[in-house]
Amino acid sequence: MSDLTSLTVAGALSKLKTREISPVDLVQAYAKKLEENKKYNAFVTLVVDDALAKAKDAEQKYLNNTNRRLEGIPLGVKDLFCTKGIRTTACSHILDNFVPPYESTVTQNLLDDGALFLGKLNMDEFAMGGSNETSYFGPVVNPWSKDVPLVAGGSSGGSAAAVAAELCAAATASDTGGSIREPSAFCGVTGIKPTYGRCSRYGIIAFASSLDQAGPICKDVTDCALLLNSMAGYDPKDSTSSKRDIPDFSSFIGQDIKGLKVGVPLEYRPDGLNPEIASYWDSAAQILKDCGAEIVNISLPHTKYALPAYYVIAPAEVSSNLARYDGVRYGLRIEGNNLDNLYISTRSEGFGTEVKRRILIGTYVLSAGYYDAYYLKAQKVRRLIKNDFDNAFQKCDVILTPTSPVEPFAIGDTKMLENPINMYLNDIFTVSVNLAGLPAMSLPIGLSHNGLPLGMQLIGRAFDEATIFKTAYHLERGANFVRM
């Protein structure tokens, strides 16, 4: 029965519709796999019994031919999404045992389409990190690890690891500066960050409100299309939610890409780029060329300013968003002699080192005398980065780049832990996409000489996920990557 966990979402739906398997069979197969693979630390909360009960209802719907488009599909949910009646902590001590009385819009959309939740997935605390080592519940272990435990990438490391290890059929995730794409690359799975505003942010615990965006992590491109069909949509509860129509993303799978122009940015190939990654980049371009696409060189001249701009803007929004965690209304409370002491004690004990670092940076750049010098300048750079993409898309239809400049590294790597800037540099290919609000997908392209997965990234115009999906499908077929 455990073989059922190797099915893609599309494959599982096909067998469910023909009654070859039942939703109960599927949940039981994943329950067994979860019991056998606790070593990855991918889940922080399990609700398998609830999923099994709902699977029985789903089974009845298939018998009655009233099944919905994701009926009976067992998913994992990143612990950043509020789930009614299920503990949601953002993997922070300060939200210990918080159980939301409401459901996030994205997870409600999935429930409305018949999906089942197996539990909540591990992540970097408040989504702040690039390796899933800042979680209060400990790091996620990459399923591709061999002799040494490797990071799964962050912040959605639990989502990527769970999909790679076949502990759930697919997973929800979120991306602020690469947090869907980098862990997808590290774990050899596929994830898409949609255009900002494509998915509602209501009920997603905020990191940086102008950058955060929900998206799926799945086994392949087709599954990403299926999940995004359900996750996306306008939400009146989110003022940044787009009213644009949602196309059927699945309809673009398999479409021809002859004549499509694929941009390759010169600035993404710096001196010292890992030669294996550069080689796979060339191979990916050749795969698309062989499918009839045209490869064109483009320039994104302000790329070098993306990281510094991001690490001014994101912490500034963190400083504001995390002010609400004070020990008074919900979550952790450390009693004090007075109100100020309660605030200080609760926040000191409740937040981890990386979260504190970003709060301090954000408070500094928003303070009197520094707001103009840092925050306003960073916002101007953000506009220039957006303009670069606008200019590039006059010459091409989609942009091809590596996802990460490195392969998965060891948990506890001193080079990364002793100097946080080294960790931040891993986001060099991803953060500009969030600053510009564009859609981007990471999919596996091959293995390094160490036998570890490497990812390629496709970036599209705003609200043009369609071109990404049809391009990614051909790249996926050409790469012929073998999942774990």
Side-chain angles (χ1 to χ4, degrees):
M1 193 177 287
S2 61
D3 290 341
L4 297 182
T5 62
S6 65
L7 292 170
T8 62
V9 172
L13 285 171
S14 176
K15 289 182 179 294
L16 286 166
K17 288 170 184 174
T18 58
R19 314 284 200 276
E20 291 178 60
I21 62 172
S22 75
V24 172
D25 293 337
L26 208 50
V27 171
Q28 287 175 339
Y30 279 109
K32 185 173 184 291
K33 204 76 170 279
L34 283 165
E35 187 62 34
E36 294 169 348
N37 290 279
K38 294 179 179 178
K39 60 186 177 183
Y40 299 130
N41 198 29
F43 279 83
V44 296
T45 301
L46 287 172
V47 288
V48 175
D49 288 344
D50 181 63
L52 195 55
K54 290 179 178 175
K56 292 174 183 176
D57 293 337
E59 195 163 339
Q60 196 60 46
K61 283 187 168 60
Y62 276 107
L63 291 172
N64 297 337
N65 292 316
T66 57
N67 48 291
R68 296 158 290 182
R69 59 183 171 183
L70 290 177
E71 198 71 61
I73 297 297
L75 304 179
V77 178
K78 185 176 180 179
D79 202 30
L80 204 67
F81 292 77
C82 287
T83 41
K84 186 176 181 179
I86 303 173
R87 185 179 71 153
T88 303
T89 70
C91 289
S92 176
H93 185 32
I94 208 162
L95 275 174
D96 255 4
N97 298 317
F98 172 60
V99 178
Y102 59 94
E103 193 80 34
S104 80
T105 297
V106 164
T107 50
Q108 187 62 60
N109 288 347
L110 291 166
L111 290 171
D112 290 344
D113 277 348
L116 313 175
F117 297 158
L118 295 170
K120 305 303 286 292
L121 293 158
N122 204 347
M123 54 178 280
D124 280 305
E125 183 183 7
F126 282 104
M128 297 176 206
S131 62
N132 217 142
E133 291 176 281
T134 71
S135 169
Y136 178 65
F137 300 102
V140 172
V141 177
N142 192 323
W144 288 81
S145 301
K146 297 171 185 174
D147 300 329
V148 176
L150 303 175
V151 301
S155 64
S156 307
S159 300
V163 173
E166 298 178 343
L167 306 182
C168 57
T172 71
S174 67
D175 192 309
T176 306
S179 290
I180 287 175
R181 291 159 288 156
E182 191 215 44
S184 294
F186 278 13
C187 294
V189 290
T190 303
I192 182 168
K193 181 205 94 68
T195 308
Y196 183 79
R198 182 66 96 179
C199 293
S200 171
R201 291 188 300 107
Y202 176 78
I204 300 175
I205 297 170
F207 166 6
S209 302
S210 74
L211 300 164
D212 298 344
Q213 185 59 196
I217 292 180
C218 302
K219 293 172 182 172
D220 63 13
V221 173
T222 301
D223 282 4
C224 279
L226 290 171
L227 264 288
L228 191 56
N229 279 340
S230 291
M231 294 172 70
Y234 171 67
D235 180 9
K237 295 192 290 291
D238 175 9
S239 62
T240 63
S241 174
S242 171
K243 292 184 179 180
R244 291 198 183 208
D245 290 338
I246 307 297
D248 177 5
F249 298 114
S250 303
S251 67
F252 300 100
I253 301 298
Q255 284 192 11
D256 195 5
I257 59 167
K258 286 180 181 175
L260 190 84
K261 292 185 177 180
V262 178
V264 175
L266 304 173
E267 292 79 9
Y268 279 49
R269 197 183 288 260
D271 293 337
L273 177 64
N274 182 320
E276 277 189 311
I277 292 172
S279 177
Y280 272 119
W281 191 6
D282 293 337
S283 298
Q286 188 60 50
I287 288 169
L288 296 177
K289 191 174 180 181
D290 291 344
C291 292
E294 179 186 347
I295 308 301
V296 296
N297 290 323
I298 60 169
S299 179
L300 299 169
H302 294 94
T303 293
K304 61 184 176 181
Y305 303 116
L307 270 176
Y310 175 87
Y311 281 103
V312 169
I313 293 168
E317 297 186 19
V318 166
S319 174
S320 175
N321 280 328
L322 269 60
R324 70 193 69 174
Y325 303 106
D326 53 16
V328 175
R329 288 155 290 192
Y330 48 79
L332 181 71
R333 175 185 288 203
I334 306 298
E335 298 293 348
N337 298 327
N338 54 52
L339 192 59
D340 283 349
N341 189 246
L342 181 147
Y343 289 160
I344 293 167
S345 299
T346 299
R347 290 168 68 82
S348 295
E349 185 167 328
F351 290 134
T353 302
E354 183 60 31
V355 173
K356 289 175 183 174
R357 179 183 292 118
R358 298 197 193 194
I359 290 173
L360 288 170
I361 292 170
T363 303
Y364 178 80
V365 302
L366 290 176
S367 60
Y370 299 101
Y371 179 83
D372 291 350
Y374 292 102
Y375 186 72
L376 287 186
K377 283 184 180 177
Q379 291 288 16
K380 290 176 181 178
V381 170
R382 183 179 192 172
R383 166 44 66 183
L384 293 173
I385 290 168
K386 173 68 165 62
N387 291 345
D388 285 349
F389 279 109
D390 290 343
N391 292 333
F393 281 121
Q394 292 179 13
K395 301 175 183 176
C396 66
D397 302 300
V398 68
I399 296 171
L400 174 70
T401 79
T403 305
S404 172
V406 297
E407 65 182 13
F409 48 88
I411 291 173
D413 187 321
T414 54
K415 178 185 174 186
M416 298 295 177
L417 295 180
E418 290 176 2
N419 185 357
I421 292 175
N422 288 331
M423 188 77 77
Y424 299 165
L425 288 170
N426 293 337
D427 297 335
I428 193 166
F429 296 142
T430 55
V431 296
S432 57
V433 172
N434 298 76
L435 290 168
L438 302 176
M441 174 184 282
S442 175
L443 64 158
I445 189 67
L447 299 177
S448 72
H449 71 281
N450 293 318
L452 299 175
L454 300 172
M456 280 293 127
Q457 176 178 224
L458 290 166
I459 305 168
R461 295 183 179 92
F463 298 102
D464 187 20
E465 290 86 0
T467 299
I468 292 178
F469 277 116
K470 65 182 182 180
T471 308
Y473 177 76
H474 289 280
L475 183 55
E476 179 180 70
R477 292 185 69 192
N480 197 26
F481 181 84
V482 179
R483 298 196 313 272
M484 283 189 62

